[in-house]
């Protein structure tokens, strides 16, 4: 290991990112079984996804549509004709002992994704291809210490996931990032996640494995012009881990190369707790998957009109949408970035739609509610308050029915489960006192209690008004309209404001 | 149409006649079924056509047909109540299905193949599952893990393969109908050497869903019977689009029964029939060539115009086939790995436990597969491997295209093509088991049609003078050309009957004593 910054003075990192996305189709890729996460083992299976003798696949049209949408959103060419191939290898959780995948004829190829690195800089990641394939079943290895197959006493097989449709998105080699490489990797996966969510093709839950990233990384000695040997860090399952895995591999590989060693072509595992990678399977000989065109399936020929219809119906892509919203709302880059980082864009949008001004909405969500969410250790969306409720409180402030301090108390009441803002106001007695008679009494009492100050004001020292207003506010437990109190003080003392 | 008298031997009847008699309640489906079960009981110890006989299920299915007819309901199909022998590579729910392999011994499929569903829906009575070469690999049914089937014409001889069980069941009068599968000739060659009829529809004409795959791009389910009409009637029951098979032709079943009637009434007058130059001559038994010449004469006399066609790429057919088939089967058979069904070998010969999943897979496959299956898996694995794909599999696919083009050119000159179905008549059991190449040559005439995906069938064309055994005439139609194919087959059969007074299949002599 050598220091990250030092490593990048000597080497240029070259990355390749492979992202597997489980599609949120109703049924599996090649059969009619439900595509559902979390069911009891082996309850979502049929002759086709269990590969019983004689069973044959048919292609899920919705999966083709989702893959096409992904390809279009990534600015790819959509194939005129594409085919499935068989990727042959033996593994207990793969029912057919071949994976039906796309090999040399993917549905989408040659695209790009513009990635916002967070400081306003945009980096274009070139996309090699996006292809359709099926997921395998899941093995649980029981009795060993590591949960890995090695050392286990026996293994349990769950084929519910076998045949779940996947799209694999593969980048072209990402070069020229320098020390931003880990940031680019993370930002790319984040942008992809955003995009897939907007398209409605996947729930992109990295923690549940519906989005998984393989980080391929190699180092190229500066001015050498030749790619080094890569490692493949498999199934990294959070954005943070993507960044850390890339960072770690850069330091690790640089250390080896600097010490005169060589990088071994191998798969590696990422350890969440240590932030390091460890050696998996060496790839001494290239694996021979004996690909050949799947003879049980006819080629997929996306109809051109249909493709164009899909293209025309693409939802507004997240980054374009963010730019538009920022313009509409008049937020600064920094304000917008903070909001995006807090996942608050949709909340603000809904709050504005419910009647709040963008500034009000941003201020609530980004400042006060952001703080509350932090205290609770939850995300903004997980707070038990709706954009409509926030908009209602904003409206009451605008109307003068609440002042800032009261409004915060109303919000706290809603968060505490005390009901709608109106319920909280009623129950806690939080309305601004705007009844002049009640305020006049309080003003009279305050002036009587502080005759010296009253005299100062009469003599024209208007800055002394604040003390009286403060006393009135205190007496009304903050529920008075401070502006109105000031007017009343001056009127009572016969002083021109 | 002739009907069946109660005293007649029900096992000697055509399916068409039995169906008519059952529908008109002259005879019950149960009686017909019982007669065939009795026949199986009497002769199958000698023939070994069946791997499993579903006696009770068959009688129950027959009873259901009788009850439905008693209630005055229309027959479920023109073949309702007629018994059938199902090749043991087509799955039937709850009935043992082995594909002739030890690796599937004891497996009870939890689902029905589309073909099975269609047979059941048509009221056809499934008698049981017939023997075959393991996973349909072979031309003699000697590769079955459960022992060979014997030819009812001569019990020391092979019944052809892989569908030897289905063909022998027909020739031994154990069933009037049978289902076969044809990958390189497994319906046509057994039909030829047992003197029965078997048709391979256009690729995709019958659903493969539930049919254990050998080579997906070649496999085709087809009807087998003792007459062309029976074959056509069964063809109509099983053919037609199936959404569960992506390669299934999205069209209704062709009306082949009408084509048979047309052949019976109008013959082949005005039709052009092509003789493929490359399918004859060297390598063809003298008696086979002689019978073929007679068949040509018969068709000429019936009014056909005979033309010779040149298909220069056919000579590479066998080589291409024996690259494509093993490649696909090496992948298709990968699923037999001891994980979910069938055999699982968990111990070494010395009784110690095998520790890893990979070793259990290897041991199970080592023990469960026979020699021919292993040979083809090895060949296919090699042909698909990274450095050899282009040289072998890729080239074979190119040859396939050239053969298809040969056919297309030939059909510009002829409505159908004909050849001998098999270069030789039934050979002796054991004669070619140690010589795979000699065995592969049996499919010389049938393989080009398989590679091209065209419809082809074999009809009996007499007895070879040199061996006294049946010879088959292969009739090949253009893609989706089932109608002219069946028309010619029916016309030929009618002409043969007129000349000889009896059909070839009525003669199978070896089991006369068992009657």
């Amino acid at each position: 290991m050598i220091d990250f910054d030092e490593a990048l003075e000597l080497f240029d990192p070259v990355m390749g990112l492979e992202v597997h996305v489980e599609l949120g189709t109703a049924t599996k890729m090649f059969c009619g079984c439900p595509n559902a996460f979390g069911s009891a083992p082996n309850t979502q299976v049929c002759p086709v996804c269990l590969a019983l003798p004689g069973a044959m696949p048919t292609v899920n049209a919705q999966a083709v549509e989702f893959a096409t949408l992904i390809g279009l959103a990534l600015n790819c060419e959509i194939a005129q004709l594409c085919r499935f191939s068989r990727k042959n290898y033996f593994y207990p959780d793969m029912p057919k002992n071949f994976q039906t995948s796309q090999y040399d004829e993917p549905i989408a190829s040659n695209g790009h994704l513009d990635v916002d690195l967070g400081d306003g800089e945009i980096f274009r990641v070139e996309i090699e291809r996006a292809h359709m394939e099926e997921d395998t079943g899941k093995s649980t290895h029981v009795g060993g210490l590591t949960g890995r197959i090695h050392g286990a006493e026996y293994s349990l097989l769950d084929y519910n996931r076998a045949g779940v449709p996947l799209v694999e998105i593969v980048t072209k080699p990402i070069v020229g990032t320098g020390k931003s490489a880990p940031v680019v990797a993370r930002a790319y996966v984040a942008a992809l996640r955003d995009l897939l969510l907007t398209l409605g093709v996947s729930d992109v839950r990295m923690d549940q494995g519906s989005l998984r990233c393989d980080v391929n990384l190699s180092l190229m000695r500066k001015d050498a012009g030749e790619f080094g040997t890569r490692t493949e860090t498999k199934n990294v399952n959070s954005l943070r881990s993507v960044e850390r895995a890339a960072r770690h591999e850069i330091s690790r590989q640089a250390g080896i190369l600097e010490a005169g060693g060589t990088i071994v072509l191998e798969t590696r595992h990422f350890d969440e707790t240590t932030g390091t990678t460890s050696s998996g399977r060496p790839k001494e000989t290239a694996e021979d998957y004996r690909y050949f065109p799947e003879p049980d399936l006819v080629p997929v020929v996306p109809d051109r009109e249909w493709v164009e219809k899909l293209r025309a119906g693409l939802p507004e892509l997240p980054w374009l949408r963010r730019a538009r919203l920022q313009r509409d709302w008049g937020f600064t880059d920094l304000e917008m970035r903070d909001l995006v980082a807090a996942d608050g864009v949709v909340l603000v949008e809904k709050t504005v739609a419910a009647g709040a001004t963008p500034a009000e909405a941003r201020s609530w969500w980004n400042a006060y509610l952001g703080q509350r969410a932090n205290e609770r250790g939850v995300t903004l969306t997980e707070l038990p308050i709706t954009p409509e409720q926030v908009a209602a409180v904003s409206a009451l402030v605008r109307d003068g029915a609440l002042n800032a301090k009261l409004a915060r108390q109303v919000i706290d009441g809603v968060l505490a489960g005390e009901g709608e803002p109106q319920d909280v106001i009623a129950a806690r007695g939080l309305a601004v006192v705007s009844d002049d008679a009640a305020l006049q009494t309080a003003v009279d009492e305050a002036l009587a209690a502080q005759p010296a100050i009253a005299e100062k004001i009469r003599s024209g020292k208007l800055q002394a008004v604040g003390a009286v207003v403060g006393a009135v506010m205190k007496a009304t437990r903050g529920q008075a309209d401070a502006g109105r109190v000031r007017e009343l003080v001056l009127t009572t003392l016969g002083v021109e404001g | 149409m002739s009907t069946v008298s109660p005293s007649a031997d029900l096992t000697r009847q055509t399916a068409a006649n039995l169906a008519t008699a059952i529908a008109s309640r002259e005879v019950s489906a149960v009686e017909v079924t019982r007669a065939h079960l009795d026949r199986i009981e009497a002769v199958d110890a000698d023939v070994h056509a069946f791997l499993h006989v579903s006696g009770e299920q068959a009688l129950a299915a027959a009873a259901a047909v009788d009850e439905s007819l008693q209630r005055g309901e229309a027959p479920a199909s023109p073949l309702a109540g007629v018994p059938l022998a199902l090749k043991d590579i087509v799955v039937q729910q709850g009935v043992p299905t082995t594909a002739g392999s030890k690796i599937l011994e004891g497996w009870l499929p939890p689902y029905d193949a589309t073909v099975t569903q269609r047979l059941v829906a048509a009221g056809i009575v499934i008698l049981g599952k017939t023997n075959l070469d393991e996973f349909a690999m072979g031309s003699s049914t000697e590769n079955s893990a459960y022992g060979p089937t014997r030819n009812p014409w001569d019990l020391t001889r092979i019944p052809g393969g892989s569908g030897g069980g289905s063909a022998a069941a027909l020739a031994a009068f154990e069933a009037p109908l049978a289902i076969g599968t044809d990958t390189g000739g497994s319906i046509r060659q057994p039909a030829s050497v047992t003197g029965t009829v078997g048709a391979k529809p256009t690729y995709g004409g019958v659903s493969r869903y539930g049919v254990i795959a050998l080579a997906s791009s070649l496999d085709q389910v087809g009807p087998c019977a003792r007459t062309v009409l029976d074959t056509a009637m069964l063809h109509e029951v099983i053919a037609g689009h199936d959404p569960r098979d992506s390669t299934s032709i999205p069209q209704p079943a062709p009306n082949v029964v009408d084509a048979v009637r047309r052949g019976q009434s109008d013959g082949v007058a005005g039709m052009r029939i092509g003789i493929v130059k490359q399918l004859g001559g060297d390598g063809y038994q003298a008696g086979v060539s002689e019978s073929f010449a007679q068949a040509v004469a018969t068709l000429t006399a019936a009014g056909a115009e005979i033309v010779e066609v040149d298909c220069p790429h056919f000579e590479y057919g066998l080589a291409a086939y024996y690259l494509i088939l093993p490649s696909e089967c090496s992948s298709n058979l990968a699923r037999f790995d001891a994980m979910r069904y069938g055999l699982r070998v968990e111990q070494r010969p010395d009784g110690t436990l095998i520790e890893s999943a990979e070793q259990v897979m290897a041991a199970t496959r080592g023990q469960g597969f026979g020699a021919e299956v292993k040979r083809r898996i090895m060949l296919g694995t090699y042909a698909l491997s990274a450095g050899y794909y282009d040289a072998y599999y890729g080239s074979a696919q190119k040859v396939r295209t050239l053969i298809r083009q040969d056919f297309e050119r030939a059909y510009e000159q002829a409505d159908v093509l004909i050849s001998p179905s098999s270069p030789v008549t039934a050979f002796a059991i054991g004669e070619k088991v140690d010589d795979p190449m000699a065995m592969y040559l049996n499919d010389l005439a049938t393989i080009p049609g398989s590679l091209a995906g065209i419809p082809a069938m074999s009809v009996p064309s007499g007895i070879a003078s040199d061996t006294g055994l049946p010879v088959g005439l292969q009739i090949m139609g253009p893609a989706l050309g089932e109608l002219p194919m069946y028309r010619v087959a029916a016309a030929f059969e009618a002409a043969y009957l007129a000349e000889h007074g009896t059909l070839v299949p009525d003669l199978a002599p070896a089991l006369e004593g068992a009657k």
Side-chain angles (χ1 to χ4, degrees):
Chain A
M1 294 280 297
I2 60 174
D3 177 74
F4 179 75
D5 291 317
E6 206 181 309
L8 288 156
E9 279 166 26
L10 303 166
F11 299 98
D12 286 323
V14 179
M15 283 191 303
L17 300 170
E18 297 175 11
V19 172
H20 279 94
V21 189
E22 278 185 5
L23 299 181
T25 50
T27 55
K28 291 187 182 180
M29 187 70 223
F30 298 115
C31 68
C33 283
N35 172 15
F37 180 80
S39 313
N42 296 311
T43 54
Q44 318 279 6
V45 293
C46 73
V48 175
C49 56
L50 281 181
L52 295 190
M56 291 179 69
T58 49
V59 174
N60 180 338
Q62 194 184 24
V64 174
E65 177 175 333
F66 282 6
T68 307
L69 279 171
I70 292 171
L72 288 169
L74 291 173
N75 308 292
C76 289
E77 298 154 22
I78 304 300
Q80 303 278 344
L81 176 149
C82 63
R83 236 181 289 258
F84 285 96
S85 284
R86 292 186 182 179
K87 182 180 182 182
N88 294 283
Y89 63 102
F90 282 88
Y91 205 73
D93 64 17
M94 194 167 61
K96 294 176 291 198
N97 285 316
F98 60 79
Q99 185 185 26
T100 307
S101 177
Q102 292 194 301
Y103 175 53
D104 49 355
E105 297 169 289
I107 187 156
S109 54
N110 293 322
H112 62 262
L113 180 63
D114 287 332
V115 175
D116 186 341
L117 299 187
D119 54 3
E121 196 197 326
I122 302 291
F123 188 90
R124 175 165 287 193
V125 174
E126 304 282 346
I127 307 290
E128 171 92 31
R129 56 193 269 146
H131 70 254
M132 297 181 277
E133 60 185 33
E134 58 180 338
D135 215 337
T136 61
K138 212 175 155 178
S139 313
T140 309
H141 306 295
V142 184
L145 293 171
T146 58
R148 298 227 174 110
I149 192 163
H150 187 75
E153 283 171 31
Y154 60 93
S155 301
L156 299 172
L157 295 167
D158 176 7
Y159 293 103
N160 283 351
R161 202 182 64 184
V164 163
L166 295 178
V167 164
E168 184 177 350
I169 301 161
V170 182
T171 66
K172 291 180 180 167
I174 302 170
V175 293
T177 53
K179 64 178 190 298
S180 298
V183 176
V184 168
R186 177 192 184 128
Y188 166 74
V189 179
L192 205 51
R193 194 185 62 162
D194 250 12
L195 173 65
L196 295 165
L197 202 59
T198 304
L199 293 173
V201 298
S202 170
D203 65 4
V204 293
R205 292 282 300 263
M206 292 190 84
D207 55 331
Q208 292 182 357
S210 58
L211 189 124
R212 329 193 265 269
C213 181
D214 296 347
V215 180
N216 298 332
L217 196 138
S218 66
L219 294 181
M220 179 164 65
R221 200 171 281 276
K222 293 228 181 211
D223 306 322
E226 223 172 82
F227 288 5
T229 303
R230 72 179 186 281
T231 60
E232 302 175 3
T233 305
K234 293 292 203 190
N235 294 327
V236 185
N237 64 359
S238 75
L239 294 179
R240 183 163 168 261
S241 297
V242 168
E243 182 172 347
R244 290 169 84 205
R247 201 178 164 89
H248 176 79
E249 269 306 289
I250 288 172
S251 293
R252 191 187 68 85
Q253 290 187 17
I256 293 171
L257 293 171
E258 268 306 272
T262 50
I263 303 302
V264 185
L265 179 64
E266 63 182 356
T267 62
R268 297 185 70 82
H269 302 291
F270 181 70
D271 185 327
E272 297 278 343
T273 48
T274 60
T276 60
T277 65
S278 60
S279 182
R281 209 158 19 108
K283 285 193 161 180
E284 285 146 1
T285 51
E287 265 181 278
D288 187 353
Y289 292 118
R290 304 189 311 282
Y291 282 101
F292 75 106
E294 165 60 90
D296 279 332
L297 291 171
V298 292
V300 174
V301 185
D303 178 75
R304 296 338 277 177
E305 268 181 49
W306 174 80
V307 170
E308 288 317 309
K309 227 168 96 183
L310 285 185
R311 192 195 304 275
L314 277 180
E316 188 180 16
L317 300 177
W319 43 94
L320 296 179
R321 176 186 140 80
R322 278 198 295 274
R324 175 179 59 81
L325 289 173
Q326 188 184 341
R327 254 192 334 270
D328 290 355
W329 293 342
F331 292 177
T332 66
D333 287 350
L334 183 65
E335 286 169 343
M336 196 65 194
R337 266 206 301 283
D338 286 349
L339 200 59
V340 170
D343 273 343
V345 175
V346 172
L347 292 168
V348 166
E349 194 179 22
K350 286 184 177 164
T351 307
V352 169
T357 66
E360 285 165 355
R362 190 187 64 77
S363 144
W364 276 119
W365 287 109
N366 225 13
Y368 192 67
L369 288 167
Q371 230 173 328
R372 290 283 171 272
N374 274 344
E375 285 161 16
R376 295 177 174 219
V378 298
T379 63
L380 282 181
T381 44
E382 287 167 331
L383 284 175
I385 187 165
T386 64
E388 289 72 22
Q389 289 167 330
V390 173
V393 172
S394 297
L396 290 168
V397 173
R398 219 179 303 127
D399 297 347
L402 292 175
N403 57 32
K405 185 179 167 196
L406 289 173
R408 282 196 290 273
Q409 290 178 41
V410 174
I411 294 284
D412 285 340
V414 173
L415 290 174
E418 293 167 27
E420 291 299 314
Q422 289 302 345
D423 302 333
V424 178
I425 291 166
R428 292 193 179 189
L430 295 180
V432 167
V433 178
S434 49
D435 172 3
D436 278 1
L439 285 182
Q440 188 64 56
T441 308
V443 166
D444 291 345
E445 282 170 7
L447 289 173
Q450 302 181 80
I453 290 174
E455 202 44 49
K456 270 189 183 171
I457 299 168
R458 267 199 204 90
S459 66
K461 294 189 172 168
L462 288 187
Q463 64 271 35
V465 172
V468 183
V469 173
V472 171
M473 292 306 285
K474 197 172 175 186
T476 57
R477 299 193 339 270
Q479 282 169 256
D481 179 338
R484 181 65 191 143
V485 172
R486 189 171 192 277
E487 282 171 25
L488 283 175
V489 171
L490 295 177
T491 313
T492 307
L493 297 175
V495 180
E496 286 290 312
Chain B
M1 170 153 307
S2 63
T3 53
V4 176
S5 75
S7 62
D9 183 346
L10 294 172
T11 65
R12 301 291 166 136
Q13 305 300 317
T14 66
N17 284 356
L18 288 171
T20 307
I22 291 166
S24 61
R25 297 176 57 201
E26 281 174 58
V27 63
S28 72
V30 167
E31 286 172 272
V32 171
T33 300
R34 190 165 283 136
H36 285 92
L37 290 172
D38 289 348
R39 175 73 179 172
I40 292 169
E41 180 75 35
V43 305
D44 207 53
D46 290 333
V47 180
H48 194 225
F50 284 87
L51 291 178
H52 177 84
V53 178
S54 314
E56 281 176 31
Q57 273 167 285
L59 288 167
V65 171
D66 288 335
E67 282 157 28
S68 157
L69 293 170
Q70 264 162 32
R71 284 194 299 270
E73 290 163 14
S77 79
L79 287 172
V82 179
L84 172 140
L86 188 60
K87 190 176 181 182
D88 196 30
I89 200 163
V90 181
V91 309
Q92 185 181 6
Q93 190 171 351
V95 175
T97 301
T98 65
S101 181
K102 286 285 179 199
I103 211 160
L104 273 177
E105 190 161 22
W107 182 57
L108 297 178
Y111 78 109
D112 270 338
T114 298
V115 168
T116 311
Q117 277 181 356
R118 290 186 179 177
L119 293 170
V120 170
I124 291 173
V125 174
I126 301 173
L127 294 170
K129 310 296 290 290
T130 53
N131 200 10
L132 68 157
D133 285 300
E134 186 175 359
F135 288 108
M137 297 180 200
S139 307
S140 67
T141 316
E142 291 167 288
N143 292 332
S144 168
Y146 303 97
T149 296
R150 291 162 189 278
N151 192 324
W153 288 75
D154 176 348
L155 295 175
T156 68
R157 291 181 182 271
I158 58 98
S162 66
S166 287
L170 295 170
F173 302 100
E174 295 173 276
L177 297 172
I179 292 294
T181 60
D182 190 314
T183 303
S186 289
I187 286 175
R188 291 163 285 163
Q189 184 256 4
S192 177
V193 301
T194 58
T196 57
V197 183
K200 180 194 96 71
T202 303
Y203 179 75
V206 178
S207 172
R208 288 187 290 123
Y209 187 82
V211 181
I212 300 175
L214 168 56
S216 307
S217 75
L218 295 159
D219 291 349
Q220 187 54 57
V221 182
C224 308
R226 289 188 297 265
T227 70
V228 173
L229 176 61
D230 288 357
T231 308
M233 289 173 79
L234 182 56
H235 192 133
E236 290 193 4
V237 168
I238 59 175
H241 181 62
D242 176 13
R244 288 185 297 184
D245 174 354
S246 153
T247 62
S248 141
I249 297 166
Q251 281 179 19
N255 197 333
V256 289
V257 171
D258 271 3
V260 168
R261 305 246 186 254
R262 184 147 181 232
Q264 287 170 340
S265 60
D266 300 355
V268 286
M271 291 186 80
R272 293 169 309 159
I273 296 178
I275 297 173
V276 184
K277 198 164 103 183
Q278 283 77 7
L279 300 180
D282 284 354
Y284 286 74
Q285 185 184 315
V288 168
S289 299
E290 197 181 304
S291 168
F292 180 68
Q294 281 166 14
V296 172
T298 301
L299 287 166
T300 310
E305 180 196 338
I306 305 291
V307 294
E308 191 185 64
V309 299
D310 188 19
C311 296
H313 299 97
F314 280 22
E315 66 171 298
Y316 308 110
L318 198 67
Y321 178 82
Y322 277 103
L323 286 169
I324 292 167
L325 178 139
S327 296
E328 292 186 13
C329 92
S330 70
S331 172
N332 282 332
L333 297 190
R335 68 186 56 195
F336 300 97
D337 67 352
M339 289 297 133
R340 294 163 302 280
Y341 41 76
L343 184 70
R344 181 193 293 243
V345 176
E346 293 180 309
Q347 289 184 359
R348 295 190 188 83
D350 65 6
T352 56
L353 204 64
I354 296 172
E355 294 88 5
S356 81
E358 282 76 8
Q359 285 167 8
V360 167
M361 287 184 194
T364 302
R365 291 166 67 82
Q367 195 170 313
F369 287 142
E372 182 62 23
V373 173
K374 287 176 187 163
R375 182 178 298 132
R376 296 196 193 185
I377 289 173
M378 296 294 286
L379 280 171
T381 303
Y382 185 78
L384 286 178
S385 31
Y388 301 100
Y389 182 93
D390 289 335
Y392 295 122
Y393 187 83
S395 302
Q397 290 291 15
K398 286 179 193 146
V399 168
R400 192 173 188 174
T401 304
L402 293 171
I403 287 175
R404 196 174 287 135
Q405 290 166 352
D406 276 358
F407 271 117
E408 281 164 13
R409 274 192 299 273
Y411 288 117
E412 286 167 11
Q413 302 167 57
D415 299 311
V416 298
L417 306 178
I418 57 170
S419 76
S421 302
S422 166
V424 293
T425 55
F427 50 89
I429 290 175
E431 190 183 322
K432 298 184 183 180
V433 272
D434 296 326
D435 188 352
M437 268 311 291
M439 194 70 96
Y440 297 166
L441 287 169
N442 280 283
D443 296 327
L444 205 57
T446 48
I447 277 172
S450 293
L451 288 170
I454 58 165
M457 67 191 291
S458 179
V459 291
S461 65
I463 308 296
S465 60
D466 49 359
T467 55
L469 292 166
V471 179
L473 172 70
Q474 176 174 229
I475 304 162
M476 297 173 276
L480 300 172
E482 270 85 348
L483 299 185
M485 175 182 84
Y486 268 102
R487 182 180 164 188
V488 171
F492 177 76
E493 184 187 56
Y496 187 89
L497 185 61
E499 273 176 46
H500 300 273
T502 182
L503 293 173
V504 176
D506 293 344
L507 303 173
L511 300 160
E512 283 310 302
K515 253 181 83 179

